[in-house]
Amino acid sequence: QTLLVDSGGGLVQPGGSLRLSCTGSTDSGFTLELYAIGWVRQAPGKEREGISCMTDRGDSTTYADSVKGRFTISRDNAKNTVYLQMNNLKPEDTAVYYCAADWGCDYGVKTDYKYWGQGTQVTVSS
């Protein structure tokens, strides 16, 4: 059953921006406000990398060093949506990006989550 739907990926030039969205399935009654939500990416031939996590209350956010200062995670509970704003994108940011939900962030970024979105492709290229 699809519980998380992530979207917003695409092709962008280096230095450009994208905003990814992660929406809880209303049909399944999946309320993102109840969960810590993270973003994980996987580039071709590489292991998954946890890049950001926000606690359920939104009182704590963490970022991987590779994206710190460029990416921002946020919530809009009224829309049951979590966003990842990505600025100053670099070719090395090219990957499939997944949103994921769990009970907590475990005090930092991680790759182990209970629920996963389908993934959305981000390609940064000239």
Side-chain angles (χ1 to χ4, degrees), residues 60-75:
S60 179
T61 57
T62 54
Y63 299 92
D65 289 341
S66 57
V67 306
K68 191 175 300 182
R70 299 187 297 120
F71 291 10
T72 303
I73 188 171
S74 63
R75 289 178 179 265

Side-chain angles (χ1 to χ4, degrees), residues 38-60:
W39 289 92
V40 179
R41 68 184 182 186
Q42 186 167 27
K46 297 183 178 180
E47 295 183 352
R48 290 185 176 185
E49 176 190 19
I51 58 173
S52 186
C53 191
M54 173 178 277
T55 57
D56 54 348
R57 293 183 178 272
D59 58 349
S60 179

Side-chain angles (χ1 to χ4, degrees), residues 12-35:
V12 65
Q13 294 183 345
S17 298
L18 284 173
R19 188 180 71 167
L20 306 184
S21 298
C22 176
T23 300
S25 172
T26 55
D27 292 340
S28 300
F30 198 85
T31 304
L32 299 191
E33 188 177 8
L34 302 178
Y35 299 91

